[in-house]
Amino acid sequence: MSNNSQVQSLRRRGGFVLLCAGFLSVNGCAQNLVFHDTINIAKLTCPSVSGISPVIFRMAHDLEYSLSCTALLYKNRHQESSADLVSILHQLRYRFRVTNANRFKISNSFTHELGFQYFFDSISRFQPDENTLDTHVDFMIGKNLTLTVFSNLTTRFFNSYMYTTNQRGTLVKTLSAAFLTPLVWTFSTGFACVFPRLGTLSFGLSSAKLTGVRNRAVYTGQNITEFYGVPKEKSHILEYGLSMHFLADKDFLKRVHWNCDVLIFKNYRKPVDITMKNFIGIRINRFVKTSLQTRLSFENEASKKVQMEHLVSVGFYFNL
């Protein structure tokens, strides 16, 4: 028999042995692949005995969407001007997580909130309009302690205007915010304490905050020289300091969902900046949900006062 024929014969016999190897077990924990009882081709160890998990990374994601409509119609009001309006609010939240057995985790979440308000006697506007992208990279170094890298980026999509009345009684609108105007990006590196029944508290020992202004019309329209701390002659500023971030995302009684996100940034030379979002959602049935949202913010460059907004909604909801 020629050498080529012998090689082909060995390949066929070896392939048959490999095919049948999955059905042969040794001591119930391993599989030995042999050829002519002399060559040990491979040994497949049972993962449960070796202690090695066959899963290196686990990935999970979910999508949540809700839509609600509100109409406010007044009649025989004491005030001269009415405030009849129709509003539509939709919310979208997407979360993606990657974890492995070595206590390493990457989590991303994108939250989009957009409301449209139409006042019958005057204006229409997009309010609220808020889009947030959060990224966490965590390395477990203790039972409830992690080394974390955190990033939070926020902006709006549509233009926002301030409405005033001039001396002639004409309504004048002035651009107050726009897409990437401002863009606020806070990122930090530090440690996080995990409270299993409550949430996660992170301390950014090395933090930075980037504020960008894309639409230059906010300076000319409002006749200002500084917008959110960014001077007119610049397109962005970068600040360094310390940060603290608290995040709670819990479900109660299978119908109540609580999400609280508090971000505090302290520039070494400026007052503290605070942003808080608190959300309580109650699922009435599979497709109907009511929610209460509270947003609080304080940024000395934007306003000397604490700004607060409450939203109550009931509408269509689904989760994937």
Side-chain angles (χ1 to χ4, degrees):
M1 183 180 295
S2 64
N3 292 333
N4 293 335
S5 300
Q6 292 178 357
V7 171
Q8 293 178 0
S9 176
L10 290 174
R11 287 179 177 176
R12 288 194 296 268
R13 298 170 68 181
F16 177 76
V17 172
L18 290 173
L19 179 64
C20 296
F23 304 98
L24 302 177
S25 62
V26 178
N27 296 329
C29 294
Q31 295 175 347
N32 290 297
L33 305 184
V34 298
F35 183 65
H36 277 197
D37 295 327
T38 57
I39 302 176
N40 188 20
I41 298 178
K43 185 174 181 179
L44 306 179
T45 306
C46 179
S48 61
V49 176
S50 65
I52 302 175
S53 173
V55 179
I56 300 178
F57 292 99
R58 296 179 183 272
M59 294 180 291
H61 66 96
D62 62 88
L63 175 67
E64 182 178 309
Y65 180 79
S66 62
L67 176 67
S68 60
C69 302
T70 304
L72 296 178
L73 303 176
Y74 296 94
K75 186 177 181 181
N76 298 328
R77 299 189 68 208
H78 296 291
Q79 293 84 352
E80 294 181 0
S81 60
S82 63
D84 299 342
L85 66 91
V86 174
S87 65
I88 300 175
L89 172 66
H90 88 116
Q91 302 167 320
L92 182 145
R93 186 181 185 190
Y94 176 76
R95 293 180 295 183
F96 178 77
R97 298 174 296 278
V98 178
T99 60
N100 77 341
N102 295 325
R103 298 184 176 182
F104 169 74
K105 180 175 69 173
I106 299 176
S107 58
N108 285 275
S109 67
F110 173 72
T111 305
H112 166 64
E113 296 183 6
L114 180 63
F116 177 76
Q117 298 176 340
Y118 175 71
F119 295 83
F120 293 101
D121 62 338
S122 55
I123 63 173
S124 60
R125 63 178 183 175
F126 289 102
Q127 183 67 25
D129 180 5
E130 188 168 327
N131 309 276
T132 305
L133 177 64
D134 285 333
T135 302
H136 284 264
V137 181
D138 298 312
F139 301 88
M140 294 293 296
I141 57 177
K143 182 178 180 180
N144 293 318
L145 185 64
T146 65
L147 175 65
T148 181
V149 178
F150 168 70
S151 170
N152 174 273
L153 187 148
T154 62
T155 185
R156 64 181 297 124
F157 284 159
F158 296 94
N159 293 345
S160 176
Y161 297 93
M162 295 185 300
Y163 294 88
T164 57
T165 304
N166 58 18
Q167 296 179 351
R168 299 180 180 179
T170 305
L171 191 66
V172 180
K173 66 178 184 179
T174 305
L175 183 68
S176 60
F179 177 61
L180 301 181
T181 308
L183 165 71
V184 181
W185 183 19
T186 305
F187 45 95
S188 64
T189 301
F191 297 93
C193 299
V194 181
F195 302 96
R197 297 185 179 182
L198 182 61
T200 304
L201 181 62
S202 305
F203 298 93
L205 304 181
S206 177
S207 303
K209 180 179 179 182
L210 175 67
T211 306
V213 178
R214 174 179 173 270
N215 195 328
R216 316 303 296 179
V218 293
Y219 295 102
T220 57
Q222 301 181 44
N223 194 23
I224 56 177
T225 58
E226 190 176 277
F227 182 73
Y228 279 82
V230 182
K232 186 176 182 180
E233 61 274 9
K234 294 184 178 181
S235 61
H236 66 278
I237 60 170
L238 183 63
E239 306 172 74
Y240 298 95
L242 303 174
S243 68
M244 185 179 72
H245 181 229
F246 173 75
L247 178 63
D249 195 17
K250 296 294 181 180
D251 292 316
F252 302 96
L253 305 175
K254 298 182 180 181
R255 289 184 177 271
V256 180
H257 180 75
W258 176 51
N259 180 273
C260 183
D261 192 332
V262 182
L263 177 61
I264 300 175
F265 177 80
K266 177 65 174 71
N267 188 315
Y268 295 120
R269 301 179 180 179
K270 295 182 180 181
V272 65
D273 297 334
I274 304 175
T275 303
M276 186 197 77
K277 302 176 186 176
N278 190 70
F279 173 87
I280 298 176
I282 303 175
R283 185 163 52 88
I284 299 175
N285 57 36
R286 185 178 179 182
F287 297 110
V288 179
K289 184 177 183 179
T290 181
S291 65
L292 169 64
Q293 298 182 70
T294 299
R295 286 197 288 265
L296 181 148
S297 64
F298 173 76
E299 189 166 351
N300 188 67
E301 289 81 2
S303 175
K304 303 296 183 180
K305 299 180 180 180
V306 176
Q307 302 180 55
M308 185 176 295
E309 184 178 37
H310 302 282
L311 293 174
V312 180
S313 63
V314 178
F316 172 78
Y317 156 86
F318 75 87
N319 181 277
L320 296 177

